[in-house]
Amino acid sequence: MMACKKIDVDFSYSPDQPKAGEKVTFTNLSTGGEEWAWTFGDGSTSTLKSPTYTYQNPGPYTVTLKVD
C-alpha cells in the first residue's frame, strides 16, 4: 500500500497591483511537493519554485500553480 503526502498549494505575489512592464515576484507558499508548474494567464509558464514574471500588457490575469 502506498501513502500519499498531502500537498497544500498556496502562493503570494508582489507588488499587490502590478502594472504592465513591472516585474512580479511569485512566492510559492505550498507545503510539500518537488515539482512546480505555473501558468501566468497569458500563455507563459514556468517550472521554477518561486518565479518572477513581467506582463507586457495590462489586464486581469488568472495565475495557477500546480504542485506535484
Side-chain angles (χ1 to χ4, degrees), residues 40-63:
F40 297 112
D42 65 351
S44 296
T45 62
S46 176
T47 57
L48 296 175
K49 184 176 182 179
S50 294
T52 59
Y53 187 70
T54 302
Y55 289 95
Q56 298 305 313
N57 298 304
Y61 295 95
T62 300
V63 177

Side-chain angles (χ1 to χ4, degrees), residues 3-44:
C4 294
K5 287 184 177 180
K6 182 178 179 193
I7 298 174
D8 291 317
V9 179
D10 191 17
F11 68 89
S12 65
Y13 64 92
S14 67
D16 288 336
Q17 296 182 356
K19 296 176 175 62
E22 183 175 15
K23 185 189 316 185
V24 182
T25 300
F26 293 92
T27 302
N28 186 339
L29 303 173
S30 303
T31 57
E34 297 176 2
E35 296 179 8
W36 307 274
W38 294 85
T39 58
F40 297 112
D42 65 351
S44 296

